[in-house]
Amino acid sequence: MIRATPSVFDASRSKSGDGIGSFVERHAPDSTYTYYGSGKIALRDGLAGLVDPGENVLVPAYLSPAVVEPFHELGLESRFYAIRETFAPDFADLEARIDDDTAAVMSVNYFGFPQPGLERIAALTDEHDCYHIDDNAHAPISVHDGTLLGTHGDFGVTTLRKLLPVPDGAVLYRTGDEVRAQFEPSSLAGRSDRVGTADCQFVATSVARRLLETVPSLQRSVDIVLSDDVDPSSVDPRSRYDDAKIPMSRISGAVASVADPDPIRAARRENFRAWQRVLDGRDDVTPLYDALPAGISPYEFAVRASDQVAFLDELNDAGVVGAHSWPILRRSVREDETYETSIRLANELVALPVHQGIDPSTIDAVGDRLRR
């Protein structure tokens, strides 16, 4: 169901400036930014000059397990706060976990949409004199009410490989005055000027992926092996974090320099609406977002399924490549009834692809093959 969309890259941008960089400068003029290979390394560098070992950082429980590893490397305690079914924080739980040693509170913009309660989180961090981290891994080019997501806090991060066909890439935004003043980039900041392993592996796997797509049964077998739907006990967050300790690859930098964000966002929005049409009227699937506000670039079309496994099997039988559950929760979260909402969401959520390489007509065609 994949067909390339050629209009998302504008070669003329390589002459006039950085495509993604120009977009950031246009929509977040009060922020400074630095490229990284990984958002987690960007998080570490952003906090490094601001915190002391023994302090703590509060993050939502509904989150991939490796996100807190940069905090642990800095000697910080990670504390998970409960969320509501809307993805808004459970503010009673959040406030109960803040103390005098809280260095920062993280918000997360899920699937390209702003986390509900951003203003209240900002007020809370101001009241307790701690930093607000705006985790925007899912939404590099989402703009909400005139503000680029990822720049609502004192600092924030976004992940380019969730937007572009690249092996890595992230951006660290610095908005707060103290954050800017204390920032000292590590050797992992910036873009590599050499062709490295990540470049070669990406090109090789991209070729392999195109070949696999010509054999659907083999493609599905590989997708099962590579899927995130695995035993949480087999996930090693620390190893995943350590593997990400490389600068932004040369190929990622080149693609980011010529990417044109506007048609990318338009294509993703069109595909989001196509899934809305396809799934409209089903009583076993509930979209997480009914509306698509102006400026939002969706990462995926997220739904809650009454039977997650059955719906994923149905999508697989209909030829949908890339649908998956999300996230694998950290063991301490999954085993704690305090986070019942996060556990339930993880057991129900299915994310459907909306990336700009898909033609919306192919999504519409899927609707004819799905069981009703």
Side-chain angles (χ1 to χ4, degrees):
M1 65 174 287
I2 305 291
R3 190 175 81 185
T5 304
S7 61
V8 298
F9 300 108
D10 179 0
S12 66
R13 286 179 178 269
S14 62
K15 301 176 182 178
S16 59
D18 187 328
I20 295 298
S22 297
F23 183 87
V24 171
E25 290 160 10
R26 185 164 72 250
H27 292 281
D30 296 329
S31 294
T32 56
Y33 68 95
T34 302
Y35 285 118
Y36 281 84
S38 161
K40 299 176 188 66
I41 304 304
L43 269 178
R44 185 201 65 185
D45 276 17
L47 267 179
L50 305 170
V51 299
D52 296 312
E55 295 181 321
N56 62 76
V57 177
L58 274 61
V59 300
Y62 194 68
L63 205 60
S64 297
V67 172
V68 297
E69 290 303 320
F71 309 142
H72 298 171
E73 185 175 14
L74 293 172
L76 305 173
E77 175 194 359
S78 56
R79 294 182 180 178
F80 296 97
Y81 63 82
I83 64 166
R84 301 293 188 184
E85 294 195 355
T86 61
F87 290 142
D90 180 329
F91 279 101
D93 184 74
L94 172 57
E95 293 187 49
R97 297 177 188 275
I98 296 179
D99 60 25
D100 292 341
D101 290 324
T102 298
V105 176
M106 175 187 283
S107 58
V108 174
N109 303 313
Y110 295 98
F111 300 105
F113 293 77
Q115 183 178 12
L118 279 174
E119 291 183 359
R120 188 170 174 184
I121 292 174
L124 196 61
T125 53
D126 285 345
E127 177 185 347
H128 290 273
D129 194 25
C130 56
Y131 299 103
H132 176 194
I133 304 170
D134 189 10
D135 184 330
N136 190 49
H138 285 179
I141 57 173
S142 278
V143 178
H144 176 65
D145 288 344
T147 300
L148 180 65
L149 294 187
T151 65
H152 280 85
D154 297 291
F155 71 95
V157 295
T158 201
T159 307
L160 297 181
R161 66 180 179 81
K162 291 182 169 66
L163 177 75
L164 305 171
V166 293
D168 56 24
V171 182
L172 171 67
Y173 302 117
R174 300 180 300 284
T175 303
D177 292 338
E178 186 176 359
V179 173
R180 294 187 201 184
Q182 297 297 325
F183 174 68
E184 293 186 8
S186 70
S187 61
L188 298 176
R191 297 182 285 190
S192 176
D193 58 359
R194 298 181 179 181
V195 175
T197 302
D199 302 285
C200 297
Q201 288 179 339
F202 178 71
V203 171
T205 56
S206 295
V207 171
R209 173 66 64 177
R210 288 195 294 273
L211 293 174
L212 285 170
E213 286 173 355
T214 67
V215 186
S217 60
L218 181 57
Q219 171 70 67
R220 287 193 289 272
S221 298
V222 172
D223 285 340
I224 290 171
V225 172
L226 297 179
S227 74
D228 284 338
D229 188 18
V230 298
D231 179 0
S233 64
S234 69
V235 176
D236 183 354
R238 184 68 193 193
S239 294
R240 290 178 59 191
Y241 172 60
D242 288 338
D243 289 344
K245 291 182 176 179
I246 56 173
M248 184 176 177
S249 64
R250 185 174 180 179
I251 194 170
S252 297
V255 172
S257 294
V258 298
D260 187 346
D262 293 332
I264 291 175
R265 180 166 56 189
R268 286 173 173 254
R269 290 173 65 87
E270 190 173 358
N271 288 331
F272 185 95
R273 295 190 182 99
W275 281 118
Q276 285 181 315
R277 293 192 297 271
V278 165
L279 299 176
D280 182 47
R282 290 189 59 141
D283 57 10
D284 61 334
V285 174
T286 304
L288 267 65
Y289 302 98
D290 294 322
L292 185 57
I296 296 301
S297 176
Y299 171 45
E300 292 171 309
F301 187 81
V303 302
R304 294 177 66 173
S306 57
D307 188 330
Q308 184 188 65
V309 173
F311 185 51
L312 284 168
D313 286 344
E314 182 182 352
L315 292 166
N316 182 64
D317 291 343
V320 177
V321 177
H324 62 94
S325 58
W326 187 84
I328 298 172
L329 298 177
R330 203 167 181 98
R331 181 185 295 276
S332 59
V333 170
R334 185 169 284 279
E335 296 178 350
D336 190 336
E337 293 182 357
T338 303
Y339 308 115
E340 185 271 338
T341 299
S342 292
I343 296 168
R344 186 169 66 254
L345 283 169
N347 290 336
E348 295 177 357
L349 190 135
V350 174
L352 301 166
V354 301
H355 61 79
Q356 60 272 18
I358 304 173
D359 188 278
S361 64
T362 61
I363 298 176
D364 288 323
V366 166
D368 299 330
R369 298 194 293 271
L370 288 176
R371 296 189 297 270
R372 293 288 179 173

